Amino acid sequence: MKNTNLKLAIQKNGRLTEDAVNFLRSAGLQFENYKQKLFSSCRNFPLEIVYVRDDDIPDYVESGAVDLGIVGQNILNESNKDVKNIMNLNFGICSLSIAIPENSDVKVVKQLINARIFTSYPNSTKKYFKKKNIPVNIIAVSGSVEITPALGIADAIVDLVATGRTLALNDLRIIEKIYDSQAILITGSKNNLSEEKQILMQKLINRFKKVLSGISSLPVEKLII
Ligand code: PRT
Ligand code: ZN
């Protein structure tokens, strides 16, 4: 039987999970505890919520494996997939920033010429320095980027910053912001959705818009009448 339910991917277990679940629930969607499952079906809307690694979400959305996804703008900027941002969701707020040791003599980014820059965001970093015409050595690592200056292997890092506590703990300071990021709702640019699914998606988007504008007062028992 053809499954006409919409599919929405969210992060399975990470910084965006709780906020994404709360957001969906505040839009009136009713679904079971997400922790034990890889997907949940909503009781009151033809929607399946799929729980995956955040890095995989743009791929699943681009290929049409899921119709919608909630992911950090940073992941999208880094992965360069053919998906579109439907709306900013106002959580997961952070920035991708360049940081240097507290005691560094560097005052402006231009002085980072030929510097060794460690990051988990090599594409965003490369793009930024290329645009600025500053040649640098970018070294990609998968995590714990903040430790690399103390190890003596990095002159600067490029990493996500939210409160700035992690940088401060590691005696690092921001010298420049590359971009701001927050959680966004995405869909595929080229997916051929059935008319039925398009209508459902529009209903869901309208509902999300109401939550974001703080005027959601619709009954939650039944979303489609
Ligand atoms: O397992 P999976 O691959 O799904 O998750 P992940 O480990 O790759 O990602 P996760 O859960 O750490 O982050 C998910 C998303 O949350 C990111 O892609 C961002 O969109 C968003 N986000 C918001 C953040 C932060 N704030 C953030 N502060 N992601 C990471 N950080 C890290 C940062 O890398 C640094 O290590 O927190 C540290 C800095 O935080 P502050 O508060 O000390 O500045
Ligand atoms: Zn990830």
Side-chain angles (χ1 to χ4, degrees), residues 11 53-56 75 121:
Q11 192 184 19
R53 290 278 310 266
D54 65 349
D55 315 74
D56 296 331
I75 298 282
Y121 288 81

Side-chain angles (χ1 to χ4, degrees), residues 3 7 21 36 43 60 71 73 76 109 129 181-182 216:
N3 184 350
K7 289 193 187 72
V21 166
Q36 291 109 38
R43 281 196 293 277
Y60 292 152
V71 71
Q73 174 78 56
L76 207 61
V109 172
F129 282 100
S181 180
Q182 63 173 286
S216 177

